[in-house]
Amino acid sequence: MRITRITAWQVDLPLHEGSYKWSGGKSVAVFDSTVVAVETDAGITGFGEVCPLGPAYLPAYAAGVRAGLKELAPELLGEDPTQLGKLNRVMDAALKGHPYVKSAVDVACWDILGKQAGVPVCVLLGGRFGDDFHLYRAISQESPDEMAARVASYRAEGYRRFQLKVGGDPDTDIQRIKAVTAVLQPGDRLIADANTGWLPHEAARVVRAVRDVDVYIEQPCLTYEECLSVRRRTDHPFVLDEVIDGIDVLIRAHGDGAMDVVNLKISKLGGLTKTKQLRDLCITLGIAMTLEDSWGGDIVTAAIAHLAHSTPTEFLFTATDFNSYVTRSIAEGAPKRKTGRLAASVLPGLGITPKFAEFGSPAVDVQ
Ligand code: MG
């Protein structure tokens, strides 16, 4: 099988809550996503999506996806999309770095492989564990009372895991954690995600002030070394996210005992092929995971669902259903949350069909 055409469309994804806010005053009102189609000479087409969390979160930006695809796609024509290790070697040789540009192509090729084999992607990724899996709800950074009200509201919809966007003023963040804790019930899990927003002295104050609260601390500071220094002065369970961008740092962090849980984002690592490599290593090393992406719509959510559903239940700390955050559906067949839980499609491949009629002209068309 050979790749004959790669096409990409820009799509806007507005938010039910109007905007999403996190550390350092960063926010996004309408997400800029890119849907990718990889066509083949076998008549099978695979689909992927990539959606950076704005331009100031990771070294990734929405227009960069399309610019990068224009550079990369000509090098992929004629390649076999079902030989994913080889395809990733070709992508890495053609374009150094820029994992987020490669992510949607890699996901689309897993979709092709699944369609060719007649099995869902989750089966190819290792097998389906359980009937469904836990989701978390990210709580946009607002006042402590507003965040507590949001948690209570999402709890009523069935979520049991909540990730608070902190990483702002430490005194307000302490109030945020305590206000939300007051509306939780036994069995709920709370994660305070600073998204690199605290300096070490601020993180030290927060972890001390919430010492008696059952809360996970996620990525308090910008650098690995700063996070490690905070880790060493707290006994809260600890999550690393932004700094875990490859296998080298994962191995180093495991050796240092730097975290209990890691957050693996598909586009941060360059697609399902590379995320599976880290996911499987985490299982061997005994590290639980949040499996997700930076942001996205129906197609990103489908890819997350296959990755999460193919992960042993005890290692899946939590996952994300981004398609329930946005007002627009971009694909038929996408997984839909039920009482805070999600399941991957049982159809071959990702099990989704993009709504191309609504997309307009492609931004990238290489054939
Ligand atoms: Mg995070």
Side-chain angles (χ1 to χ4, degrees):
M1 195 188 299
R2 301 289 162 202
I3 295 173
T4 55
R5 185 179 185 184
I6 295 177
T7 319
W9 293 261
Q10 189 275 333
V11 295
D12 283 338
L13 300 175
L15 289 161
H16 286 295
E17 291 186 1
S19 70
Y20 180 75
K21 301 172 196 161
W22 68 102
S23 70
K26 293 187 276 292
S27 71
V28 171
V30 177
F31 280 92
D32 180 341
S33 194
T34 300
V35 174
V36 172
V38 176
E39 293 182 34
T40 66
D41 60 3
I44 299 174
T45 301
F47 307 111
E49 179 191 4
V50 63
C51 183
L53 186 64
Y57 173 61
L58 291 175
Y61 67 106
V65 175
R66 275 97 64 181
L69 285 169
K70 286 177 187 170
E71 195 77 28
L72 182 65
E75 307 298 324
L76 305 180
L77 297 180
E79 293 295 326
D80 185 343
T82 65
Q83 299 188 34
L84 279 144
K86 199 172 161 190
L87 183 84
N88 272 268
R89 296 276 295 177
V90 172
M91 289 201 286
D92 288 342
L95 179 68
K96 191 170 179 66
H98 300 279
Y100 69 109
V101 171
K102 301 163 187 169
S103 182
V105 174
D106 177 78
V107 170
C109 292
W110 279 92
D111 189 28
I112 291 169
L113 182 61
K115 286 169 174 167
Q116 185 199 39
V119 296
V121 168
C122 65
V123 172
L124 298 175
L125 290 173
R128 191 184 297 267
F129 289 85
D131 296 330
D132 56 12
F133 55 87
H134 271 293
L135 296 166
Y136 80 80
R137 188 76 190 192
I139 306 298
S140 179
Q141 190 173 108
E142 306 288 350
S143 72
D145 288 347
E146 285 171 293
M147 291 176 83
R150 287 252 166 95
V151 166
S153 168
Y154 286 119
R155 200 179 183 287
E157 292 183 22
Y159 286 102
R160 294 292 180 266
R161 295 170 186 212
F162 305 95
Q163 190 202 66
L164 304 186
K165 291 295 152 186
V166 289
D169 169 66
D171 293 303
T172 311
D173 285 336
I174 293 163
Q175 292 173 28
R176 288 176 171 123
I177 293 166
K178 290 183 174 176
V180 167
T181 301
V183 301
L184 296 181
Q185 298 293 321
D188 294 352
R189 299 240 182 111
L190 181 62
I191 305 114
D193 186 356
N195 288 111
T196 76
W198 293 322
L199 292 173
H201 73 96
E202 296 171 321
R205 288 189 58 233
V206 175
V207 296
R208 189 172 61 181
V210 300
R211 178 176 285 159
D212 296 327
V213 176
D214 183 7
V215 59
Y216 290 68
I217 303 296
E218 180 162 338
Q219 188 77 37
C221 303
L222 184 62
T223 70
Y224 174 77
E225 289 75 13
E226 290 168 333
C227 289
L228 183 60
S229 78
V230 176
R231 159 73 162 178
R232 286 176 172 160
R233 60 214 290 182
T234 176
D235 59 4
H236 286 292
F238 212 81
V239 188
L240 287 180
D241 180 351
E242 285 87 339
V243 295
I244 303 294
D245 59 1
I247 213 155
D248 291 2
V249 68
L250 176 68
I251 291 169
R252 179 182 172 200
H254 176 66
D256 290 342
M259 75 282 166
D260 305 290
V261 179
V262 292
N263 184 317
L264 302 182
K265 293 181 163 69
I266 296 169
S267 65
K268 177 178 68 176
L269 299 167
L272 284 170
T273 302
K274 288 175 178 170
T275 307
K276 179 184 187 301
Q277 189 183 18
L278 270 74
R279 190 275 308 264
D280 292 344
L281 183 60
C282 284
I283 294 167
T284 303
L285 296 175
I287 305 166
M289 290 158 276
T290 289
L291 297 174
E292 58 167 353
D293 210 324
S294 297
W295 203 269
D298 282 325
I299 306 171
V300 162
T301 303
I304 292 168
H306 286 284
L307 179 67
H309 216 151
S310 64
T311 300
T313 307
E314 65 271 31
F315 285 97
L316 182 65
F317 180 57
T318 191
T320 320
D321 63 323
F322 286 114
N323 65 349
S324 81
Y325 293 61
V326 300
T327 61
R328 181 180 180 188
S329 167
I330 59 168
E332 303 289 352
K336 292 275 183 280
R337 160 169 58 97
K338 283 186 190 144
T339 61
R341 302 182 70 88
L342 200 69
S345 172
V346 296
L347 298 175
L350 293 175
I352 53 91
T353 305
K355 298 177 178 176
F356 290 115
E358 301 175 15
F359 293 172
S361 301
V364 179
D365 189 353
V366 175
Q367 54 188 304

